[in-house]
Each structure stands twice: as C-alpha cells, then as structure tokens.
Amino acid sequence: MNTTAARKETVIELTAKDLNSNGGVFCPSAKADMKLWNNHPRVYLDVAGSGSAKCPYCGTVYKLKEGEHFGSHH
C-alpha cells in the first residue's frame, strides 16, 4: 500500500532574507514546523538556483515568494 501518494505536499514560501549566504536553506526547518519525532537527516537545499527546491526526505518544497530575488543587483 502506497501511503505517500495521499500525503499533502507542504510548501514553505521564503523571502530572500530567509536564505543563507549561499542561497539555500536546510531541511528540516523550523519554518516547516517539524516536530522532533518526524525529523530526518539535515540536508542543504539550493533555492536561489531555480527559485525552489524539494527535500528528498520529506517532500517539503521551499520556494521564494513571488517577486523575491536572491543576490545583489548592482
């Protein structure tokens, strides 16, 4: 029985300020309201590269809010 198909995908919208200096975030994240019992190994997700990234463990999607851009515009 495949129970992952019934699971709702969690999408976390981020601002550019939420990203670290490399343009990414770590999952699990406090922004995803993950509890200790459902944590997984910490993974780095590059959000700035494409505007979003999906955690390979839990499926949480981290994406930049509409109109947000990472990096300097000099």
Side-chain angles (χ1 to χ4, degrees):
M1 184 167 142
N2 186 357
T3 58
T4 57
R7 187 174 177 191
K8 186 174 187 274
E9 187 175 79
T10 301
V11 178
I12 306 299
E13 287 192 323
L14 304 168
T15 65
K17 292 178 184 177
D18 293 325
L19 304 181
N20 64 24
S21 62
N22 294 318
V25 295
F26 287 97
C27 189
S29 168
K31 291 194 169 289
D33 194 32
M34 293 182 177
K35 306 298 181 215
L36 183 60
W37 62 267
N38 68 350
N39 276 345
H40 54 69
R42 188 177 189 201
V43 292
Y44 174 78
L45 303 171
D46 179 13
V47 176
S50 65
S52 68
K54 186 174 186 174
C55 177
Y57 286 102
C58 66
T60 300
V61 175
Y62 296 87
K63 70 175 196 170
L64 284 174
K65 288 183 180 179
E66 190 73 33
E68 287 286 322
H69 300 282
F70 177 78
S72 60
H73 301 290
H74 293 258

